Amino acid sequence: MVFRKPPDGGWGWVIVLVSFFTQFLCYGSPLAVGVLYLEWLDAFGEGKGKTAWVGSLANGIGLLASPVCSICVSSFGARPVAIFSGFMVAGGLMMSSFAPNIYFLYVSYGIVVGLGCGLLYTATVTITCQYFDKRRGLALGLISTGSSVGLFIYAALQRELIELYGLDGCLLIVGALSLNILACGSLMRPLESSGSPPSEKNCVDKVPDQYFVYHEKGKTVEENISILEKGYVDEKCVNNIPDCKQDSILNKNVLSSINVNEKDTYKKKVVEQTNFCKQLAKRKWQLYLTYWKETVVLFKNKVFSALFVAILLFDIGGFPPSLLMEDVARSANINEDDYYMPLISIIGIMTTVGKLILGILADFKWVNTLYLYVTTLLMTGVALFAIPFAKSYLTLAMLSGILGFLTGNWSIFPYVTTKTVGIEKLTHAYGILMFFAGLGNSLGPPIVGWFYDWTQEYDTAFYFSGFCVLLGGFLLLLAALPCWNACTNQGSKLPPNTYSYKVASS
């Protein structure tokens, strides 16, 4: 498949629109799961730590499975994956309405819905990047607000549906709404080349480099063996592997042992395919070794190591408020008549504002994105410490707005990662960081819930959450200080392909 140059418009804006609604429909219920969390507590009578696993799995499993999601989108394309994932999200939500116990919800809502959301997120981001180049930042920013708007609307919608139709009816209706993802996915037309197909000569030249299966018709065994040998030797020489000459001689000796005049065609084919499999296995092994070597090099970068710890601790401590804030208000005996708006809705709308404002600030040259990110972490830790002192709806609403705004730092996280490891390593590094972010999302709410089950109050739980976020922020700040970098770089040279974070903006 040959892709033409991204049009930066045209049908691309349709892609942005359907991607926005896709994230709105798939992430609305999982992000606003705090409303359902209260109902599940009353329905199943389980502990808060055990019940919190449902929402944490729904939000974390997609990030944990991000490598698998990327492989699926790369193999099948964004449109088929989006349509299939739409069935997963809708089916998982509808199955959850028939859940007999909390363990059924772990699978139906936590794993099925969560994995569907992860696949849809990867599909929307991939198809948007294919259609946009110069305006890619704007396009990705627009579709990312879909999840935040979904959190804002679904928090009030699910509460109203529960009052009218009960918990089971709410999940059935929300699942039916998610079927609209199928319509959105059908509009994700792949960006294909409309020009003439490449010439036969060019196709033949590309066969050795891409390891396409050889054509048995029209080529003799000798020609197939020659192509196979040339492809493997060229691949190793391009990657500067020192023993490419030795392998070339070895392959020639092995292949020359085949008697081309032998009439047993089946035996020739078996020998040829066996040699092809061996060479393919060697190539894959070299790719795996290269991947792990690059991973080790990344962790030798002190700022990246601190960033990995910071994102893990931030998600352990900073994610639970979006899930548990409604239960915090109920535990504080706040009268429901005082509610002007669900606290989760406030978090959702302020997250949208935070993404936009922090993203705009990151584009200014005089703003250091790493220090801006560290500032959001430290302020989040302070806000978490203040939650135990909030005893009224107004104070909880203010803290929810502050936490929602600071959670918008997800919009500048790719900037920070790029500055830390360089654009060449961004995909590799971002995949690692997102895996640990998903781990933090999965562990945070159950840990806070266990603290409540142990102490019967949320104060200790949010002190722990605030400590985690502050610790991650201080570690990242320490790793980025100019004096620290100067001391650590005097005696040792930075590993190749890594970048020290320049604290002073150019």
Side-chain angles (χ1 to χ4, degrees):
M1 187 75 67
V2 179
F3 294 99
R4 66 171 184 261
K5 185 179 179 181
D8 279 302
W11 191 258
W13 294 119
V14 177
I15 297 296
V16 170
L17 181 63
V18 299
S19 297
F20 172 88
F21 280 107
T22 297
Q23 294 202 17
F24 170 84
L25 293 168
C26 74
Y27 277 105
S29 181
L31 289 178
V33 73
V35 176
L36 304 176
Y37 171 76
L38 298 178
E39 302 299 322
W40 288 329
L41 283 174
D42 297 334
F44 301 114
E46 300 286 353
K48 297 190 177 184
K50 184 181 290 187
T51 307
W53 270 111
V54 181
S56 62
L57 283 174
N59 287 279
I61 199 72
L63 293 175
L64 288 172
S66 55
V68 178
C69 298
S70 299
I71 292 173
C72 291
V73 175
S74 300
S75 302
F76 304 106
R79 176 191 280 174
V81 169
I83 295 174
F84 174 77
S85 303
F87 281 112
M88 288 187 65
V89 174
L93 290 169
M94 293 180 180
M95 287 169 53
S96 299
S97 65
F98 303 101
N101 52 54
I102 199 69
Y103 302 103
F104 187 92
L105 285 173
Y106 288 164
V107 178
S108 63
Y109 197 98
I111 296 179
V112 177
V113 175
L115 187 57
C117 291
L119 288 168
L120 285 168
Y121 177 81
T122 306
T124 54
V125 170
T126 301
I127 193 70
T128 303
C129 289
Q130 290 176 0
Y131 271 87
F132 288 90
D133 183 17
K134 296 180 181 179
R135 299 177 180 177
R136 183 175 295 169
L138 173 63
L140 292 175
L142 290 174
I143 69 170
S144 67
T145 58
S147 58
S148 301
V149 176
L151 170 58
F152 172 69
I153 294 179
Y154 269 73
L157 175 63
Q158 291 185 146
R159 172 175 288 182
E160 190 67 24
L161 290 175
I162 289 172
E163 291 180 359
L164 294 175
Y165 305 105
L167 177 61
D168 297 344
C170 171
L171 288 170
L172 284 174
I173 294 173
V174 171
L177 288 175
S178 299
L179 289 173
N180 289 285
I181 297 174
L182 306 182
C184 295
S186 64
L187 295 174
M188 294 181 183
R189 186 172 64 197
L191 184 66
E192 299 179 15
S193 175
S194 58
S196 59
S199 63
E200 183 178 356
K201 182 179 183 300
N202 292 334
C203 291
V204 173
D205 291 339
K206 291 181 180 179
V207 169
D209 296 333
Q210 301 180 10
Y211 287 89
F212 286 168
V213 178
Y214 57 88
H215 297 282
E216 295 183 9
K217 296 181 179 180
K219 285 187 179 296
T220 63
V221 176
E222 298 93 318
E223 290 173 335
N224 287 326
I225 294 175
S226 177
I227 290 175
L228 189 64
E229 177 194 359
K230 182 179 182 296
Y232 180 67
V233 174
D234 290 349
E235 177 73 12
K236 299 198 71 176
C237 292
V238 167
N239 288 281
N240 296 323
I241 299 178
D243 57 346
C244 64
K245 293 183 178 180
Q246 297 179 1
D247 284 351
S248 176
I249 297 174
L250 179 62
N251 290 331
K252 288 181 179 179
N253 293 334
V254 173
L255 295 173
S256 62
S257 63
I258 302 175
N259 185 4
V260 294
N261 297 323
E262 188 178 356
K263 296 182 179 180
D264 191 355
T265 307
Y266 177 77
K267 185 175 180 180
K268 295 179 185 178
K269 186 176 180 181
V270 169
V271 173
E272 185 176 349
Q273 291 182 348
T274 302
N275 188 263
F276 175 83
C277 292
K278 289 180 180 180
Q279 294 172 352
L280 185 61
K282 288 182 180 180
R283 178 175 177 268
K284 293 296 183 182
W285 178 248
Q286 290 295 333
L287 292 176
Y288 291 140
L289 289 180
T290 302
Y291 177 85
W292 288 112
K293 288 178 182 178
E294 291 178 352
T295 303
V296 172
V297 170
L298 284 175
F299 278 98
K300 288 182 179 179
N301 187 331
K302 293 181 176 61
V303 178
F304 177 80
S305 299
L307 193 62
F308 137 74
V309 176
I311 192 64
L312 176 63
L313 294 177
F314 172 73
D315 280 277
I316 289 177
F319 176 66
S322 63
L323 175 61
L324 304 173
M325 192 60 80
E326 295 292 333
D327 192 46
V328 171
R330 188 170 70 170
S331 301
N333 298 320
I334 296 176
N335 191 353
E336 293 186 0
D337 296 335
D338 297 335
Y339 273 60
Y340 301 102
M341 183 185 295
L343 297 175
I344 299 180
S345 295
I346 297 175
I347 293 176
I349 194 65
M350 290 305 296
T351 300
T352 304
V353 175
K355 286 180 178 179
L356 294 175
I357 294 179
L358 293 175
I360 293 172
L361 287 176
D363 287 333
F364 289 108
K365 293 183 178 181
W366 52 270
V367 174
N368 186 286
T369 52
L370 181 60
Y371 283 170
L372 179 62
Y373 185 75
V374 169
T375 302
T376 61
L377 295 183
L378 299 179
M379 293 178 65
T380 301
V382 173
L384 290 170
F385 272 115
I387 289 178
F389 300 99
K391 301 300 181 184
S392 66
Y393 173 81
L394 181 60
T395 53
L396 283 175
M398 292 176 61
L399 289 173
S400 298
I402 294 172
L403 288 171
F405 179 86
L406 297 173
T407 306
N409 62 6
W410 276 97
S411 64
I412 63 173
F413 190 73
Y415 285 80
V416 178
T417 308
T418 305
K419 289 285 187 177
T420 303
V421 303
I423 191 64
E424 296 84 359
K425 302 289 184 181
L426 175 61
T427 303
H428 187 181
Y430 201 71
I432 296 173
L433 294 174
M434 286 302 98
F435 174 84
F436 287 101
L439 185 63
N441 274 347
S442 301
L443 295 178
I447 290 175
V448 173
W450 289 331
F451 269 108
Y452 183 91
D453 294 336
W454 177 39
T455 62
Q456 295 303 310
E457 44 87 17
Y458 275 115
D459 295 358
T460 306
F462 282 103
Y463 290 147
F464 170 79
S465 297
F467 173 77
C468 287
V469 178
L470 284 176
L471 178 61
F474 279 120
L475 289 176
L476 185 57
L477 177 63
L478 181 63
L481 288 177
C483 58
W484 172 256
N485 287 331
C487 294
T488 54
N489 292 335
Q490 280 179 355
S492 61
K493 195 174 181 180
L494 280 175
N497 298 328
T498 60
Y499 302 83
S500 62
Y501 198 100
K502 294 183 180 180
V503 177
S505 300
S506 56

